[in-house]
Amino acid sequence: MSVGTSSAPGAQRAAHPPAPRPGDLADLGIDPDQLPDGLVVADEHGRVICFNAAAARITAVPAEQALGRPLETALPLEDLEGRRWWQLTDPYGGLAIRVRQPERNLLLPGGREVLVSARYVRAEPTGPVRRVVVTLRDTEARRRTERSHAELIATVAHELRSPLTSVKGFTATLLAKWERFTDDQKRLMLETVDADADRVTRLIAELLDISRIDSGRLEVRRQPVDIGAAVGRHIQAYVAAGQQADRFLLRVQHPLPDLWADPDKVDQVLSNLLENAVRHGEGTVTIDITPSASPRERENAENAATSVTVSDEGPGIPEESMNRVFTRFWRGSKRGGTGLGLYIVKGIVEAHGGTITVGRAPGGGAQFRFTLPVAAPAYLT
């Protein structure tokens, strides 16, 4: 795509630009300053004729200072070994069959890293270079992704170390000194190993969920779900584990629409929200289940969805943290856990076509509300 006919403000035209062709930026009505990536174009003499707004932002060089200057001066790039890039690649005097430079990391003056690729435009396959088209991309987004991955790896390594150390310690002790322990001592150690193995299994399941959410491959197998009964089972499990029965208040507004959802994933959402309310909240944990309008704009039918609200009476979530609750590694005031649970919950709800919000409960604590729309069963989708 030729850019010699660019109409960017301040851009200088070549003395004899090539005739416009269908697909030129000017023909498409696109100003180079509207492009999201940096664009730098040099003419057949190596002089910069286009330096768009994104290039000026990325390089911190005003366009008026770059236009008309030699490419290697306006854009003084070095590779990671400190070699001057344009002297190394020699776009105008190198091999006549070269048409591009693949994207790679290069350094601007001051050591700032950018992603750079180049295209050599020739009037004929092995003719002289008429244009050098350079694109620049900031690496900040990629660095944020890399930092997120590094944090995920560090978190996983930390969370795995404790249960695996326990498993290794108890199994080694049992193998070495089996006869010295009573049956009760053996049972206690084996129960600890079993609990730690469950912890590792849950962590691996979280990692798989994150991978599927990030790649858009989280599968939802819809079946009829009795959401009230599902919440009741979780409450019974907490009571069996020692929580007081009167700490939970379940309110169901009938009639509810038929809910077709993935029962395992709905259980995962309920488990996480109830665990947060019990662990981080105080007082009564209230669960309200009500019919609702669909969260999807294209559906206007009333009562086409089911909403579940989980509220507690604890200190709640600070206002400044509300917008970070569903991000990776967010943890409340009490440390512990991977900080991945609510990120996964949001991914599961959205995979169902639903929504989830966080706010302040009437009693002052945290309030999570998710809404799942009516949908067809898996075998009909």
Side-chain angles (χ1 to χ4, degrees), residues 211-371:
S211 174
R212 295 182 183 116
I213 290 169
D214 288 347
S215 62
R217 294 184 295 106
L218 187 66
E219 294 185 0
V220 174
R221 306 300 298 173
R222 298 183 187 274
Q223 302 175 33
V225 174
D226 185 337
I227 192 71
V231 173
R233 288 194 299 272
H234 284 277
I235 293 175
Q236 290 173 5
Y238 276 107
V239 172
Q243 292 289 333
Q244 296 296 319
D246 59 3
R247 187 177 181 187
F248 299 93
L249 173 60
L250 173 59
R251 299 185 296 204
V252 182
Q253 180 181 334
H254 293 290
L256 293 173
D258 294 335
L259 178 61
W260 288 82
D262 189 316
D264 292 336
K265 289 181 171 57
V266 169
D267 270 341
Q268 194 172 350
V269 171
L270 293 173
S271 175
N272 193 288
L273 296 181
L274 288 171
E275 182 180 356
N276 284 345
V278 170
R279 178 184 296 179
H280 302 293
E282 298 171 2
T284 302
V285 176
T286 303
I287 306 97
D288 289 297
I289 304 174
T290 60
S292 174
S294 173
R296 292 178 291 188
E297 294 181 359
R298 66 176 182 269
E299 293 183 1
N300 298 319
E302 295 182 357
N303 299 342
T306 299
S307 290
V308 179
T309 305
V310 179
S311 310
D312 64 66
E313 299 175 347
I317 298 170
E319 194 69 31
E320 62 273 14
S321 298
M322 290 286 189
N323 61 344
R324 297 188 292 110
V325 165
F326 297 109
T327 60
R328 289 184 185 181
F329 310 118
W330 183 85
R331 298 180 178 90
S333 57
K334 298 179 182 179
R335 306 293 289 181
T338 61
L340 301 173
L342 289 175
Y343 177 82
I344 295 172
V345 163
K346 182 173 185 288
I348 291 174
V349 171
E350 291 180 347
H352 281 80
T355 59
I356 184 167
T357 58
V358 60
R360 188 166 295 279
Q367 181 180 84
F368 288 87
R369 183 175 190 262
F370 70 92
T371 302

Side-chain angles (χ1 to χ4, degrees), residues 71 131 198 201 241 269 327:
L71 181 59
R131 297 285 187 271
D198 287 341
T201 301
V269 171
T327 60

Side-chain angles (χ1 to χ4, degrees), residues 22-45:
D24 286 359
L25 287 179
D27 293 342
L28 296 173
I30 297 175
D31 188 325
D33 286 344
Q34 297 172 339
L35 299 176
D37 293 337
L39 176 67
V40 181
V41 183
D43 63 13
E44 62 266 33
H45 305 297

Side-chain angles (χ1 to χ4, degrees), residues 95-252:
L95 292 173
I97 59 173
R98 287 190 308 173
V99 295
R100 70 185 183 94
Q101 288 289 339
E103 187 176 70
R104 65 192 65 207
N105 289 37
L106 297 176
L107 301 175
L108 291 167
R112 185 179 179 186
E113 190 174 323
V114 290
L115 293 171
V116 181
S117 59
R119 172 74 66 174
Y120 304 151
V121 180
R122 307 173 190 271
E124 52 189 48
T126 58
V129 173
R130 297 292 301 275
R131 297 285 187 271
V132 175
V133 183
V134 183
T135 60
L136 307 173
R137 290 199 297 144
D138 200 335
T139 61
E140 182 58 33
R142 193 178 73 169
R143 284 199 296 269
R144 286 196 298 268
T145 300
E146 290 174 347
R147 284 197 297 269
S148 178
H149 289 166
E151 290 174 358
L152 180 60
I153 291 171
T155 299
V156 170
H158 175 77
E159 293 293 326
L160 284 173
R161 183 182 297 115
S162 177
L164 290 179
T165 299
S166 172
V167 169
K168 178 62 178 175
F170 279 122
T171 54
T173 301
L174 286 171
L175 288 171
K177 303 176 181 180
W178 179 267
E179 294 82 5
R180 301 185 186 182
F181 296 108
T182 65
D183 288 344
D184 288 341
Q185 290 173 323
K186 292 175 184 176
R187 175 176 292 276
L188 176 61
M189 285 189 278
L190 289 174
E191 287 175 347
T192 304
V193 168
D194 183 63
D196 285 332
D198 287 341
R199 182 176 165 188
V200 172
T201 301
R202 284 194 302 271
L203 180 58
I204 292 172
E206 285 184 349
L207 294 177
L208 291 174
D209 285 337
I210 287 176
S211 174
R212 295 182 183 116
I213 290 169
D214 288 347
S215 62
R217 294 184 295 106
L218 187 66
E219 294 185 0
V220 174
R221 306 300 298 173
R222 298 183 187 274
Q223 302 175 33
V225 174
D226 185 337
I227 192 71
V231 173
R233 288 194 299 272
H234 284 277
I235 293 175
Q236 290 173 5
Y238 276 107
V239 172
Q243 292 289 333
Q244 296 296 319
D246 59 3
R247 187 177 181 187
F248 299 93
L249 173 60
L250 173 59
R251 299 185 296 204
V252 182

